[in-house]
Amino acid sequence: MVSRTTTTVVALWRLALFLLPHFVVALDSVDGAVAAKPCRSASVDADAGCLSWRVMVEANNARGWRTVPAPCVAYVRSYMTRGQYGRDLTSVMDQVSAYVDTVEADDDGLDAWILDIDDTCLSNLLYYEAKQFGAYDPSAFKMWATKGACPGIPAVFELFATLQAKGFKVFLLSGRDQETLGTCTLENLESEGFLGYERLIMRSPEYRRQSSSQFKSVMRKRLVEEEGYRIRGNVGDQWSDLQGDYVGDRVFKIPNPMYYVP
Amino acid sequence: MVSRTTTTVVALWRLALFLLPHFVVALDSVDGAVAAKPCRSASVDADAGCLSWRVMVEANNARGWRTVPAPCVAYVRSYMTRGQYGRDLTSVMDQVSAYVDTVEADDDGLDAWILDIDDTCLSNLLYYEAKQFGAYDPSAFKMWATKGACPGIPAVFELFATLQAKGFKVFLLSGRDQETLGTCTLENLESEGFLGYERLIMRSPEYRRQSSSQFKSVMRKRLVEEEGYRIRGNVGDQWSDLQGDYVGDRVFKIPNPMYYVP
């Protein structure tokens, strides 16, 4: 009797030990849901709703949002830090690479690519994580950016290097304020290995009141109309990087459910 | 001793019974992964990769694909039929509604909306499910469409009715071939309650060689330039519905990981 019971105990422990890690892996991997908290269907439902929201952000259906919806803060943290963001980013960069393989830079030196900076070349994840993915706080963000401590995003750095090796002119186009953040941005890029690009274009005082989309359209228009560049590709984490005038032959949207820039 | 062992058995059964349903719910709900098959991390990893792919489709990063990637067929079936597609669709339609609330139709009767038909107004899910989400098969699709049995998509029907009630002119713009599918499409729309729209525009023979994007751009251009309509909104399941010329003041991308139309 004791022996049969013991066998049952062992079998049940085995079942529990078999189920438990898979359960954690499932919640963790499938869409970066929070694995640590107790698993209630309310939480799973919220995650499914937050997944809908995140896909809407990426498809540009959700616009003008000022902060991550409160029920999705834990979901976004988990998405960004537990693997799915990395997977999504790698998948997008694979698409970029496949496209880069199909385009050649002409000898005239006028084939250009545009890369955004924040959360394209350099990551602000540490900042947003510390701020609990809350609303945009211009002065706190400025303090963070001034440190020049944003880590480079390796998959984008790899693209940056490939483009230069293939003879493309790389323009880094950022809505950051040139006067106050010019030096620290330059130094941050340098410390993360972003060197040898054609030009860093930041927002000069006369564009402070324009949306990022308007400002970037004007800058691209100049490159094309006044300087004769052909924009062969354009990579950014915001749709405002990728819409408007002269967006380029092909645009790529890098995932970012942390904030929205108009 | 036996008593303590029995208590342990009960506690373990409770643990197993507590974990098991949550585990199934988690895989089922979080992103429509297949709950029925045995749970291996290879499957979870594949689902996480397929989620990346699906988000790339929605964000227009993945273009020109001819068929759902083989490892993602089960994922797409599950996504479409187990809840997440419905959730995503409802979320997008909520965004459309919020936007519709901000626009008014002028008395001149020239405020227009464009709605696509396939997998926007009418669903082809039954067909693609039966075809195992395989590659596009023009003659099989024609046979299916000829039946006129595509179910209307309720959330889009609701928008359709709201737009007409608000005085907008609704144009149904489809890449379907007018000559061969005109009558069955008209009848299918009617049987699903799509009545009272301004015009059904389908592909006439001279546009057979053009991409959907080119054809639809020309049709929208005519509406705007020749007839004076103002396109206030545009809803489709393909980016080719929503890009090109005269796309409208605002576009909305309805989810569709089943096929890609250039």
Side-chain angles (χ1 to χ4, degrees):
Chain A
M1 176 67 186
V2 172
S3 166
R4 267 179 63 193
T5 314
T6 309
T7 312
T8 314
V9 171
V10 169
L12 282 170
W13 265 121
R14 278 193 181 145
L15 177 64
L17 289 171
F18 171 74
L19 285 176
L20 198 58
H22 283 105
F23 173 57
V24 173
V25 166
L27 268 182
D28 182 22
S29 303
V30 171
D31 194 42
V34 179
K37 64 182 172 184
C39 135
R40 300 181 305 270
S41 41
S43 144
V44 171
D45 287 351
D47 287 340
C50 295
L51 172 58
S52 288
W53 175 78
R54 179 168 75 77
V55 175
M56 288 203 301
V57 168
E58 295 309 320
N60 205 20
N61 283 321
R63 303 185 186 182
W65 47 280
R66 289 169 183 276
T67 180
V68 173
C72 297
V73 168
Y75 169 89
V76 166
R77 179 186 300 112
S78 178
Y79 168 74
M80 291 300 298
T81 60
R82 297 184 72 96
Q84 194 61 31
Y85 165 71
R87 252 177 233 113
D88 288 359
L89 179 65
T90 303
S91 301
V92 176
M93 298 317 289
D94 286 348
Q95 295 284 332
V96 185
S97 293
Y99 170 70
V100 171
D101 286 346
T102 69
V103 283
E104 294 295 331
D106 197 279
D107 289 339
D108 65 7
L110 290 170
D111 286 299
W113 275 70
I114 311 274
L115 305 185
D116 170 57
I117 294 181
D118 283 299
D119 295 295
T120 300
C121 291
L122 301 178
S123 174
N124 293 304
L125 175 56
L126 293 173
Y127 166 80
Y128 282 97
E129 219 182 341
K131 296 282 284 181
Q132 309 288 323
F133 301 96
Y136 181 60
D137 174 345
S139 64
F141 182 78
K142 196 157 275 185
M143 274 182 62
W144 155 255
T146 305
K147 289 184 193 165
C150 306
I153 297 181
V156 180
F157 178 77
E158 206 176 304
L159 169 69
F160 172 85
T162 302
L163 290 174
Q164 294 197 99
K166 285 199 67 171
F168 291 103
K169 296 290 165 65
V170 176
F171 291 86
L172 302 180
L173 177 53
S174 170
R176 283 188 178 195
D177 186 68
Q178 181 159 32
E179 216 169 72
T180 53
L181 298 176
T183 309
C184 65
T185 303
L186 207 67
E187 290 171 358
N188 197 157
L189 287 165
E190 193 180 322
S191 70
E192 293 303 304
F194 288 88
L195 299 162
Y197 50 85
E198 187 64 16
R199 205 179 303 163
L200 167 62
I201 306 172
M202 293 175 69
R203 195 192 293 259
S204 53
E206 66 265 40
Y207 294 102
R208 277 184 187 151
R209 289 184 180 189
Q210 291 197 1
S211 70
S212 173
S213 172
Q214 289 169 324
F215 161 68
K216 292 189 171 185
S217 280
V218 174
M219 295 301 110
R220 290 191 304 259
K221 186 175 180 176
R222 275 198 199 156
L223 289 178
V224 173
E225 289 197 349
E226 296 176 19
E227 305 190 47
Y229 285 104
R230 298 173 293 270
I231 302 176
R232 308 306 300 272
N234 182 356
V235 182
D237 65 298
Q238 298 289 323
W239 278 102
S240 52
D241 298 328
L242 310 174
Q243 290 192 320
D245 302 324
Y246 302 89
V247 292
D249 295 346
R250 175 99 194 237
V251 304
F252 294 92
K253 169 72 174 74
I254 283 184
N256 186 354
M258 300 187 292
Y259 57 87
Y260 177 91
V261 178
Chain B
M1 176 67 187
V2 172
S3 166
R4 268 179 63 192
T5 315
T6 309
T7 312
T8 313
V9 171
V10 170
L12 282 169
W13 265 119
R14 278 192 182 147
L15 177 64
L17 289 171
F18 170 74
L19 286 176
L20 197 58
H22 284 105
F23 174 57
V24 173
V25 167
L27 267 184
D28 182 23
S29 304
V30 171
D31 195 43
V34 179
K37 64 182 171 184
C39 140
R40 300 181 306 270
S41 45
S43 143
V44 170
D45 286 352
D47 287 340
C50 295
L51 172 58
S52 288
W53 174 78
R54 179 169 74 77
V55 174
M56 288 204 299
V57 168
E58 295 309 321
N60 205 19
N61 283 322
R63 303 185 186 181
W65 49 280
R66 289 169 184 275
T67 180
V68 173
C72 297
V73 168
Y75 169 89
V76 166
R77 179 186 299 112
S78 179
Y79 168 73
M80 291 301 297
T81 59
R82 297 183 71 94
Q84 194 62 31
Y85 166 71
R87 252 177 233 113
D88 288 358
L89 179 65
T90 304
S91 301
V92 176
M93 298 317 288
D94 286 348
Q95 296 284 332
V96 185
S97 293
Y99 170 70
V100 170
D101 287 346
T102 70
V103 283
E104 294 295 330
D106 197 278
D107 289 339
D108 66 7
L110 291 169
D111 286 299
W113 275 70
I114 311 273
L115 305 185
D116 169 57
I117 294 182
D118 284 298
D119 294 296
T120 300
C121 292
L122 301 177
S123 174
N124 293 305
L125 175 56
L126 293 172
Y127 166 79
Y128 281 97
E129 221 182 341
K131 294 283 281 182
Q132 308 289 323
F133 301 96
Y136 181 60
D137 174 345
S139 65
F141 183 79
K142 196 158 274 184
M143 274 183 62
W144 155 256
T146 305
K147 289 184 191 166
C150 306
I153 297 181
V156 181
F157 178 77
E158 206 175 304
L159 169 69
F160 173 86
T162 302
L163 290 174
Q164 293 197 101
K166 284 198 70 171
F168 291 103
K169 295 290 164 63
V170 176
F171 292 85
L172 302 180
L173 177 53
S174 171
R176 283 188 177 195
D177 185 67
Q178 180 159 32
E179 216 169 72
T180 52
L181 296 176
T183 308
C184 66
T185 303
L186 207 67
E187 290 172 357
N188 198 157
L189 287 165
E190 195 181 320
S191 70
E192 293 302 305
F194 288 87
L195 299 162
Y197 51 84
E198 187 64 15
R199 206 178 303 163
L200 167 61
I201 305 172
M202 293 175 69
R203 194 193 294 259
S204 54
E206 66 264 40
Y207 295 103
R208 276 184 188 151
R209 289 184 180 189
Q210 291 198 1
S211 70
S212 174
S213 173
Q214 290 169 324
F215 160 67
K216 292 189 171 184
S217 282
V218 175
M219 295 301 111
R220 291 190 305 259
K221 186 176 181 176
R222 274 197 201 157
L223 289 178
V224 173
E225 289 198 347
E226 297 176 19
E227 304 191 48
Y229 286 103
R230 298 174 292 270
I231 302 176
R232 308 306 300 273
N234 183 355
V235 182
D237 65 298
Q238 298 288 325
W239 278 102
S240 53
D241 300 327
L242 310 174
Q243 290 192 320
D245 301 323
Y246 301 91
V247 292
D249 295 346
R250 174 99 194 237
V251 304
F252 295 93
K253 170 71 175 74
I254 283 184
N256 186 355
M258 300 187 291
Y259 57 88
Y260 177 90
V261 178

